Amino acid sequence: MARPVRVVLDSSVLLDPSARLSGAGVAGEEEVVLRPGAEVLLRRLRFSNLGVAICHPEGLPTNESGFLEKTAKLYSFGYMPLTSPSGSNLLNELMLELSRTNSCFYVTSGVHEGLLSELHNHNWAVIAMGNEDVIKNSGVIHISMLQELLITLATSIKKEIGSSSTLVVGYRGAFPIYPSKNDLIFVPLSFELPLASQLQEVDLVLHKITDEIINIDPNSSIRFPKGISFSLGMSEIIRFVEEHCDFCVIDPFKSIYPLLDRIQIQEILVRLEGLISEGRPKLRAPCSLKVENFCGSEIQKLLAEAKLSFPLIVKPQVACGVADAHNMALIFKIEEFSNLSVPLPAILQEYIDHGSKIFKFYAIGDKIFHAIKNSMPNASHLKSSSGGKPLTFNSLKTLPVATKEQLLQNRVQDSKLLDINLVEEAAKLLKELLGLTIFGFDVVVQESSGDHVIVDLNYLPSFKEVPDNEAMPAFWDAIKQSYESMKRMTQT
Ligand SMILES: O=P(O)(O)O[C@H]1[C@H](O)[C@@H](OP(=O)(O)O)[C@H](OP(=O)(O)O)[C@@H](OP(=O)(O)O)[C@H]1O
Ligand SMILES: Nc1ncnc2c1ncn2[C@@H]1O[C@H](COP(=O)(O)OP(=O)(O)O)[C@@H](O)[C@H]1O
Ligand SMILES: [Mg+2]
Ligand SMILES: [Mg+2]
């Protein structure tokens, strides 16, 4: 296991020098502000698993040292006023002590020659921002702007650990930077810096491309990613990956695109229906039908052909990534399709009475977890409240879930309801079909038949209901296993 890492941030990288020059703020009291980008950096360092402290040279004006002390407290960092250089001992006792048992990084934008050599003598790595001309040959790691610090730290830590099994994972989201139990160092990719230079520094990138979608042309789903516009940064990552076919992406974009389309999800789920065996519940997808419009007469015919009957749940074909992907409706009769606000093209699904209980499954690598959540009640409970109009809702914000009274009417205990082995088998088959590292799917059990119906499939959900002490090790192992299997594939 690598040594603990300590990062000491000198006040010169945190405080905005221009505020002092402008003399802004109360007369006689210069305003003290953080440099642009410093707040994001401090927030990320707070959850980085690194030991961070803020230091400043002695003799700093009290309003500045007071501001730094408060900032250190706010982010639960250490606070170390440096004693003034006396004799050869430019480092305070704590810094000397730290360097004996930790990998230490000192981050500064001032270059005090004496302090630099003292730091080097005590095996501190120095990262200096700006001052290009002075730093060139002084064994100092140079960065031009604060946004480069985290990726520089990550690659320096990896070098310090010196093990080929340590991987630097570039990502979009919020993960600890410092190595997890299995040597993963997570570093946030900054969309304020050129992506290509960052991606050359990391071993793989973890992304949730469905969170980087700007717009989707709803009539383009069968040809995804055509018709999808992504954020600029994500577009740079996609371009880099196209130009570096050996670069490891978790997960490959083409494996994720089907999960943007509820029709393609349906086609995948239907392939699970082979998991039927004697004496076990049937596992299936809901009977479904794609529609391009809500013309009642056409739908009437299509429903008869598809043997679909009311009530029906209506969902946009586009499954995620855009705000209205979750605008749905519960329809009880054909007249309710007129002026329906669900985005088109749409999918009509049989509504499954499932006692308002949903089993949310999470496949994280080869581990399967699940949580039980309150869900939509049986249709009869909802019909009365719809008053002849379609019941429209947003599944993420205004899902009509069961009331306490309705929940009390649930007859069967969860344990008798769900055939967990059947669903776990389905999860393993799904993983093979999808080729994804982490995905979630939702199962409801039809009260009348006991059928296990998979109603939703999501890429990289938050699995917030799974306890961290189970989910995080599974997450780290999943990343490592996916990386290793992708590397094996590119080497064959
Ligand atoms: O489809 P997209 O837009 O990706 O949104 C998903 C789905 O809504 C997931 O499932 P559902 O909507 O069925 O709940 C939800 O998972 P959980 O609900 O299991 O957390 C995800 O987690 P969050 O990242 O927490 O929203 C959320 O990101
Ligand atoms: N066919 C169905 N029958 C009964 N309830 C359903 C069905 N499909 C979805 N639901 C309910 O609606 C919720 C949202 O549907 P879902 O397909 O998961 O949308 P999203 O992808 O926006 O999460 C589900 O969590 C479940 O409670
Ligand atoms: Mg869902
Ligand atoms: Mg979904």
mmCIF file of all heavy atoms in Angstrom, residues 117-161:
data_model
loop_
_atom_site.group_PDB
_atom_site.id
_atom_site.type_symbol
_atom_site.label_atom_id
_atom_site.label_comp_id
_atom_site.label_asym_id
_atom_site.label_seq_id
_atom_site.Cartn_x
_atom_site.Cartn_y
_atom_site.Cartn_z
ATOM 1 N N SER A 117 15.339 24.474 -1.825
ATOM 2 C CA SER A 117 16.376 23.442 -1.623
ATOM 3 C C SER A 117 16.135 22.713 -0.298
ATOM 4 O O SER A 117 16.316 21.502 -0.206
ATOM 5 C CB SER A 117 17.777 24.074 -1.671
ATOM 6 O OG SER A 117 17.827 25.106 -0.687
ATOM 7 N N GLU A 118 15.648 23.430 0.698
ATOM 8 C CA GLU A 118 15.342 22.768 1.986
ATOM 9 C C GLU A 118 14.251 21.710 1.786
ATOM 10 O O GLU A 118 14.348 20.588 2.259
ATOM 11 C CB GLU A 118 14.856 23.839 2.976
ATOM 12 C CG GLU A 118 14.742 23.369 4.407
ATOM 13 C CD GLU A 118 16.115 23.175 5.062
ATOM 14 O OE1 GLU A 118 17.124 23.504 4.415
ATOM 15 O OE2 GLU A 118 16.162 22.659 6.176
ATOM 16 N N LEU A 119 13.262 22.059 1.001
ATOM 17 C CA LEU A 119 12.174 21.101 0.742
ATOM 18 C C LEU A 119 12.737 19.872 0.021
ATOM 19 O O LEU A 119 12.492 18.737 0.392
ATOM 20 C CB LEU A 119 11.086 21.757 -0.116
ATOM 21 C CG LEU A 119 10.174 22.766 0.609
ATOM 22 C CD1 LEU A 119 9.437 23.652 -0.399
ATOM 23 C CD2 LEU A 119 9.183 22.044 1.498
ATOM 24 N N HIS A 120 13.546 20.123 -0.991
ATOM 25 C CA HIS A 120 14.126 18.991 -1.741
ATOM 26 C C HIS A 120 14.961 18.129 -0.812
ATOM 27 O O HIS A 120 14.916 16.903 -0.856
ATOM 28 C CB HIS A 120 14.974 19.497 -2.913
ATOM 29 C CG HIS A 120 14.140 19.847 -4.109
ATOM 30 N ND1 HIS A 120 14.435 20.879 -4.959
ATOM 31 C CD2 HIS A 120 12.966 19.307 -4.560
ATOM 32 C CE1 HIS A 120 13.496 20.954 -5.913
ATOM 33 N NE2 HIS A 120 12.607 20.018 -5.688
ATOM 34 N N ASN A 121 15.720 18.777 0.064
ATOM 35 C CA ASN A 121 16.584 17.991 0.981
ATOM 36 C C ASN A 121 15.761 17.065 1.869
ATOM 37 O O ASN A 121 16.245 16.057 2.344
ATOM 38 C CB ASN A 121 17.411 18.938 1.875
ATOM 39 C CG ASN A 121 18.399 19.752 1.039
ATOM 40 O OD1 ASN A 121 18.658 19.374 -0.121
ATOM 41 N ND2 ASN A 121 18.898 20.855 1.577
ATOM 42 N N HIS A 122 14.520 17.438 2.092
ATOM 43 C CA HIS A 122 13.673 16.596 2.952
ATOM 44 C C HIS A 122 12.615 15.853 2.135
ATOM 45 O O HIS A 122 11.524 15.565 2.599
ATOM 46 C CB HIS A 122 13.028 17.448 4.055
ATOM 47 C CG HIS A 122 14.022 17.922 5.063
ATOM 48 N ND1 HIS A 122 14.727 19.099 4.912
ATOM 49 C CD2 HIS A 122 14.491 17.350 6.206
ATOM 50 C CE1 HIS A 122 15.560 19.258 5.931
ATOM 51 N NE2 HIS A 122 15.443 18.211 6.734
ATOM 52 N N ASN A 123 13.005 15.588 0.847
ATOM 53 C CA ASN A 123 12.153 14.746 -0.032
ATOM 54 C C ASN A 123 10.738 15.269 -0.257
ATOM 55 O O ASN A 123 9.827 14.500 -0.496
ATOM 56 C CB ASN A 123 12.048 13.315 0.542
ATOM 57 C CG ASN A 123 13.416 12.675 0.668
ATOM 58 O OD1 ASN A 123 14.234 12.841 -0.242
ATOM 59 N ND2 ASN A 123 13.678 12.054 1.796
ATOM 60 N N TRP A 124 10.594 16.592 -0.148
ATOM 61 C CA TRP A 124 9.310 17.152 -0.556
ATOM 62 C C TRP A 124 9.331 17.335 -2.073
ATOM 63 O O TRP A 124 10.339 17.786 -2.635
ATOM 64 C CB TRP A 124 9.086 18.518 0.100
ATOM 65 C CG TRP A 124 8.601 18.429 1.510
ATOM 66 C CD1 TRP A 124 9.318 18.037 2.600
ATOM 67 C CD2 TRP A 124 7.281 18.717 1.979
ATOM 68 N NE1 TRP A 124 8.537 18.079 3.721
ATOM 69 C CE2 TRP A 124 7.278 18.492 3.379
ATOM 70 C CE3 TRP A 124 6.112 19.160 1.361
ATOM 71 C CZ2 TRP A 124 6.147 18.687 4.175
ATOM 72 C CZ3 TRP A 124 4.987 19.348 2.148
ATOM 73 C CH2 TRP A 124 5.003 19.118 3.540
ATOM 74 N N ALA A 125 8.230 16.977 -2.750
ATOM 75 C CA ALA A 125 8.102 17.313 -4.179
ATOM 76 C C ALA A 125 7.491 18.711 -4.217
ATOM 77 O O ALA A 125 6.565 19.017 -3.454
ATOM 78 C CB ALA A 125 7.180 16.321 -4.872
ATOM 79 N N VAL A 126 8.033 19.557 -5.092
ATOM 80 C CA VAL A 126 7.522 20.935 -5.173
ATOM 81 C C VAL A 126 6.812 21.133 -6.506
ATOM 82 O O VAL A 126 7.337 20.788 -7.567
ATOM 83 C CB VAL A 126 8.674 21.957 -5.040
ATOM 84 C CG1 VAL A 126 8.128 23.384 -5.173
ATOM 85 C CG2 VAL A 126 9.379 21.763 -3.696
ATOM 86 N N ILE A 127 5.570 21.617 -6.409
ATOM 87 C CA ILE A 127 4.805 21.953 -7.625
ATOM 88 C C ILE A 127 4.654 23.471 -7.630
ATOM 89 O O ILE A 127 4.133 24.059 -6.677
ATOM 90 C CB ILE A 127 3.410 21.287 -7.620
ATOM 91 C CG1 ILE A 127 3.557 19.759 -7.585
ATOM 92 C CG2 ILE A 127 2.581 21.735 -8.829
ATOM 93 C CD1 ILE A 127 2.230 19.003 -7.464
ATOM 94 N N ALA A 128 5.194 24.096 -8.675
ATOM 95 C CA ALA A 128 5.154 25.564 -8.707
ATOM 96 C C ALA A 128 4.322 26.036 -9.882
ATOM 97 O O ALA A 128 4.421 25.508 -10.995
ATOM 98 C CB ALA A 128 6.565 26.114 -8.793
ATOM 99 N N MET A 129 3.497 27.039 -9.595
ATOM 100 C CA MET A 129 2.595 27.540 -10.632
ATOM 101 C C MET A 129 3.151 28.876 -11.138
ATOM 102 O O MET A 129 3.588 29.708 -10.369
ATOM 103 C CB MET A 129 1.194 27.758 -10.034
ATOM 104 C CG MET A 129 0.194 28.282 -11.022
ATOM 105 S SD MET A 129 -1.465 28.242 -10.343
ATOM 106 C CE MET A 129 -1.391 29.640 -9.208
ATOM 107 N N GLY A 130 3.154 29.039 -12.490
ATOM 108 C CA GLY A 130 3.683 30.284 -13.061
ATOM 109 C C GLY A 130 5.206 30.276 -12.959
ATOM 110 O O GLY A 130 5.843 29.244 -12.755
ATOM 111 N N ASN A 131 5.845 31.470 -13.048
ATOM 112 C CA ASN A 131 7.318 31.605 -12.911
ATOM 113 C C ASN A 131 8.064 30.663 -13.859
ATOM 114 O O ASN A 131 9.054 30.046 -13.489
ATOM 115 C CB ASN A 131 7.780 31.237 -11.471
ATOM 116 C CG ASN A 131 7.170 32.125 -10.427
ATOM 117 O OD1 ASN A 131 7.504 33.293 -10.352
ATOM 118 N ND2 ASN A 131 6.208 31.601 -9.689
ATOM 119 N N GLU A 132 7.520 30.496 -15.106
ATOM 120 C CA GLU A 132 8.132 29.524 -16.022
ATOM 121 C C GLU A 132 9.643 29.698 -16.068
ATOM 122 O O GLU A 132 10.404 28.761 -15.979
ATOM 123 C CB GLU A 132 7.586 29.709 -17.458
ATOM 124 C CG GLU A 132 6.208 29.142 -17.686
ATOM 125 C CD GLU A 132 5.109 30.061 -17.139
ATOM 126 O OE1 GLU A 132 5.431 31.002 -16.381
ATOM 127 O OE2 GLU A 132 3.931 29.801 -17.443
ATOM 128 N N ASP A 133 10.100 30.953 -16.187
ATOM 129 C CA ASP A 133 11.541 31.146 -16.464
ATOM 130 C C ASP A 133 12.373 30.651 -15.278
ATOM 131 O O ASP A 133 13.333 29.927 -15.430
ATOM 132 C CB ASP A 133 11.810 32.644 -16.718
ATOM 133 C CG ASP A 133 11.150 33.491 -15.594
ATOM 134 O OD1 ASP A 133 10.097 33.030 -15.067
ATOM 135 O OD2 ASP A 133 11.695 34.513 -15.218
ATOM 136 N N VAL A 134 11.964 30.945 -14.059
ATOM 137 C CA VAL A 134 12.828 30.615 -12.903
ATOM 138 C C VAL A 134 12.887 29.112 -12.677
ATOM 139 O O VAL A 134 13.872 28.542 -12.264
ATOM 140 C CB VAL A 134 12.227 31.269 -11.617
ATOM 141 C CG1 VAL A 134 13.085 30.901 -10.417
ATOM 142 C CG2 VAL A 134 12.119 32.757 -11.819
ATOM 143 N N ILE A 135 11.783 28.418 -13.028
ATOM 144 C CA ILE A 135 11.654 27.057 -12.495
ATOM 145 C C ILE A 135 12.341 26.009 -13.361
ATOM 146 O O ILE A 135 12.691 24.936 -12.922
ATOM 147 C CB ILE A 135 10.146 26.734 -12.361
ATOM 148 C CG1 ILE A 135 9.578 27.613 -11.252
ATOM 149 C CG2 ILE A 135 9.908 25.270 -12.073
ATOM 150 C CD1 ILE A 135 8.109 27.633 -11.200
ATOM 151 N N LYS A 136 12.558 26.355 -14.620
ATOM 152 C CA LYS A 136 12.918 25.325 -15.612
ATOM 153 C C LYS A 136 13.736 24.194 -15.023
ATOM 154 O O LYS A 136 13.383 23.036 -15.029
ATOM 155 C CB LYS A 136 13.718 25.981 -16.762
ATOM 156 C CG LYS A 136 12.799 26.621 -17.824
ATOM 157 C CD LYS A 136 12.383 25.621 -18.894
ATOM 158 C CE LYS A 136 11.379 26.252 -19.887
ATOM 159 N NZ LYS A 136 10.212 26.844 -19.253
ATOM 160 N N ASN A 137 14.990 24.583 -14.446
ATOM 161 C CA ASN A 137 15.861 23.430 -14.137
ATOM 162 C C ASN A 137 15.981 23.196 -12.639
ATOM 163 O O ASN A 137 16.974 22.724 -12.166
ATOM 164 C CB ASN A 137 17.246 23.745 -14.716
ATOM 165 C CG ASN A 137 17.636 25.177 -14.298
ATOM 166 O OD1 ASN A 137 16.955 25.725 -13.403
ATOM 167 N ND2 ASN A 137 18.635 25.767 -14.911
ATOM 168 N N SER A 138 14.970 23.566 -11.890
ATOM 169 C CA SER A 138 15.208 23.435 -10.431
ATOM 170 C C SER A 138 14.523 22.185 -9.877
ATOM 171 O O SER A 138 14.163 22.115 -8.717
ATOM 172 C CB SER A 138 14.638 24.671 -9.731
ATOM 173 O OG SER A 138 13.324 24.864 -10.195
ATOM 174 N N GLY A 139 14.249 21.171 -10.758
ATOM 175 C CA GLY A 139 13.694 19.924 -10.224
ATOM 176 C C GLY A 139 12.290 20.128 -9.693
ATOM 177 O O GLY A 139 11.746 19.326 -8.960
ATOM 178 N N VAL A 140 11.705 21.274 -10.083
ATOM 179 C CA VAL A 140 10.355 21.583 -9.594
ATOM 180 C C VAL A 140 9.367 21.171 -10.675
ATOM 181 O O VAL A 140 9.629 21.311 -11.862
ATOM 182 C CB VAL A 140 10.263 23.103 -9.316
ATOM 183 C CG1 VAL A 140 8.833 23.525 -9.145
ATOM 184 C CG2 VAL A 140 11.103 23.453 -8.102
ATOM 185 N N ILE A 141 8.220 20.637 -10.247
ATOM 186 C CA ILE A 141 7.172 20.288 -11.222
ATOM 187 C C ILE A 141 6.405 21.567 -11.518
ATOM 188 O O ILE A 141 5.972 22.257 -10.591
ATOM 189 C CB ILE A 141 6.207 19.241 -10.621
ATOM 190 C CG1 ILE A 141 6.990 18.011 -10.141
ATOM 191 C CG2 ILE A 141 5.146 18.847 -11.633
ATOM 192 C CD1 ILE A 141 6.192 17.122 -9.195
ATOM 193 N N HIS A 142 6.266 21.874 -12.812
ATOM 194 C CA HIS A 142 5.671 23.161 -13.146
ATOM 195 C C HIS A 142 4.235 23.021 -13.661
ATOM 196 O O HIS A 142 3.924 22.101 -14.397
ATOM 197 C CB HIS A 142 6.524 23.834 -14.240
ATOM 198 C CG HIS A 142 5.872 25.063 -14.752
ATOM 199 N ND1 HIS A 142 5.257 25.109 -15.983
ATOM 200 C CD2 HIS A 142 5.634 26.264 -14.165
ATOM 201 C CE1 HIS A 142 4.718 26.306 -16.147
ATOM 202 N NE2 HIS A 142 4.933 27.027 -15.052
ATOM 203 N N ILE A 143 3.355 23.910 -13.179
ATOM 204 C CA ILE A 143 2.008 23.980 -13.793
ATOM 205 C C ILE A 143 1.741 25.433 -14.157
ATOM 206 O O ILE A 143 2.326 26.335 -13.545
ATOM 207 C CB ILE A 143 0.886 23.467 -12.833
ATOM 208 C CG1 ILE A 143 0.880 24.254 -11.517
ATOM 209 C CG2 ILE A 143 1.026 21.983 -12.597
ATOM 210 C CD1 ILE A 143 -0.280 23.862 -10.592
ATOM 211 N N SER A 144 0.921 25.645 -15.154
ATOM 212 C CA SER A 144 0.645 27.032 -15.566
ATOM 213 C C SER A 144 -0.591 27.576 -14.859
ATOM 214 O O SER A 144 -0.710 28.765 -14.635
ATOM 215 C CB SER A 144 0.380 27.102 -17.080
ATOM 216 O OG SER A 144 1.341 26.360 -17.739
ATOM 217 N N MET A 145 -1.553 26.670 -14.569
ATOM 218 C CA MET A 145 -2.771 27.184 -13.913
ATOM 219 C C MET A 145 -3.293 26.172 -12.903
ATOM 220 O O MET A 145 -2.985 24.981 -12.977
ATOM 221 C CB MET A 145 -3.838 27.521 -14.973
ATOM 222 C CG MET A 145 -4.171 26.387 -15.911
ATOM 223 S SD MET A 145 -4.933 26.909 -17.472
ATOM 224 C CE MET A 145 -6.507 27.514 -16.952
ATOM 225 N N LEU A 146 -4.088 26.633 -11.963
ATOM 226 C CA LEU A 146 -4.575 25.802 -10.858
ATOM 227 C C LEU A 146 -5.295 24.553 -11.367
ATOM 228 O O LEU A 146 -5.188 23.490 -10.782
ATOM 229 C CB LEU A 146 -5.558 26.598 -9.981
ATOM 230 C CG LEU A 146 -4.999 27.300 -8.763
ATOM 231 C CD1 LEU A 146 -6.142 27.820 -7.911
ATOM 232 C CD2 LEU A 146 -4.085 26.395 -7.938
ATOM 233 N N GLN A 147 -6.010 24.690 -12.507
ATOM 234 C CA GLN A 147 -6.797 23.551 -13.005
ATOM 235 C C GLN A 147 -5.898 22.359 -13.332
ATOM 236 O O GLN A 147 -6.367 21.248 -13.466
ATOM 237 C CB GLN A 147 -7.587 23.960 -14.263
ATOM 238 C CG GLN A 147 -8.792 24.846 -13.969
ATOM 239 C CD GLN A 147 -8.418 26.296 -13.760
ATOM 240 O OE1 GLN A 147 -7.231 26.637 -13.590
ATOM 241 N NE2 GLN A 147 -9.415 27.185 -13.736
ATOM 242 N N GLU A 148 -4.582 22.594 -13.479
ATOM 243 C CA GLU A 148 -3.675 21.473 -13.800
ATOM 244 C C GLU A 148 -3.215 20.731 -12.552
ATOM 245 O O GLU A 148 -2.588 19.675 -12.635
ATOM 246 C CB GLU A 148 -2.448 22.007 -14.551
ATOM 247 C CG GLU A 148 -2.739 22.628 -15.891
ATOM 248 C CD GLU A 148 -1.500 23.354 -16.429
ATOM 249 O OE1 GLU A 148 -0.382 22.842 -16.253
ATOM 250 O OE2 GLU A 148 -1.664 24.440 -16.990
ATOM 251 N N LEU A 149 -3.513 21.290 -11.369
ATOM 252 C CA LEU A 149 -2.889 20.732 -10.158
ATOM 253 C C LEU A 149 -3.321 19.285 -9.901
ATOM 254 O O LEU A 149 -2.485 18.404 -9.664
ATOM 255 C CB LEU A 149 -3.206 21.603 -8.940
ATOM 256 C CG LEU A 149 -2.653 21.063 -7.605
ATOM 257 C CD1 LEU A 149 -1.138 20.904 -7.680
ATOM 258 C CD2 LEU A 149 -3.027 21.978 -6.437
ATOM 259 N N LEU A 150 -4.620 19.001 -10.003
ATOM 260 C CA LEU A 150 -5.085 17.655 -9.595
ATOM 261 C C LEU A 150 -4.495 16.576 -10.487
ATOM 262 O O LEU A 150 -4.040 15.537 -10.024
ATOM 263 C CB LEU A 150 -6.613 17.620 -9.605
ATOM 264 C CG LEU A 150 -7.262 18.489 -8.527
ATOM 265 C CD1 LEU A 150 -8.775 18.394 -8.619
ATOM 266 C CD2 LEU A 150 -6.794 18.099 -7.132
ATOM 267 N N ILE A 151 -4.484 16.806 -11.795
ATOM 268 C CA ILE A 151 -3.951 15.753 -12.687
ATOM 269 C C ILE A 151 -2.449 15.635 -12.497
ATOM 270 O O ILE A 151 -1.885 14.531 -12.554
ATOM 271 C CB ILE A 151 -4.342 16.016 -14.160
ATOM 272 C CG1 ILE A 151 -4.142 14.732 -14.984
ATOM 273 C CG2 ILE A 151 -3.590 17.183 -14.768
ATOM 274 C CD1 ILE A 151 -4.911 14.683 -16.260
ATOM 275 N N THR A 152 -1.792 16.756 -12.157
ATOM 276 C CA THR A 152 -0.340 16.706 -11.889
ATOM 277 C C THR A 152 -0.075 15.918 -10.613
ATOM 278 O O THR A 152 0.818 15.074 -10.555
ATOM 279 C CB THR A 152 0.203 18.147 -11.762
ATOM 280 O OG1 THR A 152 -0.099 18.850 -12.964
ATOM 281 C CG2 THR A 152 1.692 18.168 -11.527
ATOM 282 N N LEU A 153 -0.905 16.171 -9.601
ATOM 283 C CA LEU A 153 -0.767 15.409 -8.346
ATOM 284 C C LEU A 153 -0.981 13.918 -8.616
ATOM 285 O O LEU A 153 -0.182 13.074 -8.206
ATOM 286 C CB LEU A 153 -1.815 15.881 -7.332
ATOM 287 C CG LEU A 153 -1.440 17.041 -6.433
ATOM 288 C CD1 LEU A 153 -2.632 17.471 -5.593
ATOM 289 C CD2 LEU A 153 -0.261 16.655 -5.528
ATOM 290 N N ALA A 154 -2.049 13.607 -9.372
ATOM 291 C CA ALA A 154 -2.388 12.194 -9.622
ATOM 292 C C ALA A 154 -1.244 11.466 -10.319
ATOM 293 O O ALA A 154 -0.810 10.391 -9.913
ATOM 294 C CB ALA A 154 -3.661 12.115 -10.464
ATOM 295 N N THR A 155 -0.700 12.100 -11.352
ATOM 296 C CA THR A 155 0.385 11.409 -12.093
ATOM 297 C C THR A 155 1.659 11.370 -11.247
ATOM 298 O O THR A 155 2.410 10.401 -11.288
ATOM 299 C CB THR A 155 0.650 12.139 -13.432
ATOM 300 O OG1 THR A 155 0.763 13.546 -13.169
ATOM 301 C CG2 THR A 155 -0.482 11.925 -14.417
ATOM 302 N N SER A 156 1.892 12.408 -10.421
ATOM 303 C CA SER A 156 3.089 12.392 -9.547
ATOM 304 C C SER A 156 2.948 11.302 -8.482
ATOM 305 O O SER A 156 3.904 10.577 -8.185
ATOM 306 C CB SER A 156 3.271 13.752 -8.863
ATOM 307 O OG SER A 156 3.299 14.778 -9.826
ATOM 308 N N ILE A 157 1.740 11.166 -7.944
ATOM 309 C CA ILE A 157 1.517 10.117 -6.918
ATOM 310 C C ILE A 157 1.739 8.753 -7.552
ATOM 311 O O ILE A 157 2.373 7.867 -6.990
ATOM 312 C CB ILE A 157 0.091 10.226 -6.332
ATOM 313 C CG1 ILE A 157 -0.047 11.512 -5.509
ATOM 314 C CG2 ILE A 157 -0.257 9.011 -5.478
ATOM 315 C CD1 ILE A 157 -1.479 11.842 -5.107
ATOM 316 N N LYS A 158 1.217 8.579 -8.761
ATOM 317 C CA LYS A 158 1.395 7.277 -9.441
ATOM 318 C C LYS A 158 2.891 6.995 -9.616
ATOM 319 O O LYS A 158 3.369 5.889 -9.327
ATOM 320 C CB LYS A 158 0.693 7.272 -10.802
ATOM 321 C CG LYS A 158 0.965 5.997 -11.564
ATOM 322 C CD LYS A 158 0.254 5.904 -12.900
ATOM 323 C CE LYS A 158 0.694 4.621 -13.619
ATOM 324 N NZ LYS A 158 0.011 4.408 -14.896
ATOM 325 N N LYS A 159 3.628 8.033 -10.034
ATOM 326 C CA LYS A 159 5.084 7.849 -10.235
ATOM 327 C C LYS A 159 5.748 7.503 -8.899
ATOM 328 O O LYS A 159 6.557 6.595 -8.797
ATOM 329 C CB LYS A 159 5.684 9.139 -10.814
ATOM 330 C CG LYS A 159 6.905 8.919 -11.706
ATOM 331 C CD LYS A 159 7.493 10.197 -12.219
ATOM 332 C CE LYS A 159 6.547 10.983 -13.123
ATOM 333 N NZ LYS A 159 7.118 12.281 -13.544
ATOM 334 N N GLU A 160 5.315 8.184 -7.863
ATOM 335 C CA GLU A 160 5.874 7.974 -6.504
ATOM 336 C C GLU A 160 5.610 6.535 -6.048
ATOM 337 O O GLU A 160 6.462 5.862 -5.512
ATOM 338 C CB GLU A 160 5.156 8.961 -5.577
ATOM 339 C CG GLU A 160 5.377 8.756 -4.093
ATOM 340 C CD GLU A 160 6.536 9.590 -3.571
ATOM 341 O OE1 GLU A 160 6.910 10.537 -4.267
ATOM 342 O OE2 GLU A 160 7.061 9.252 -2.507
ATOM 343 N N ILE A 161 4.390 6.030 -6.341
ATOM 344 C CA ILE A 161 4.052 4.656 -5.921
ATOM 345 C C ILE A 161 4.883 3.666 -6.733
ATOM 346 O O ILE A 161 5.332 2.647 -6.258
ATOM 347 C CB ILE A 161 2.539 4.395 -6.112
ATOM 348 C CG1 ILE A 161 1.735 5.310 -5.167
ATOM 349 C CG2 ILE A 161 2.187 2.929 -5.885
ATOM 350 C CD1 ILE A 161 0.246 5.295 -5.418
#
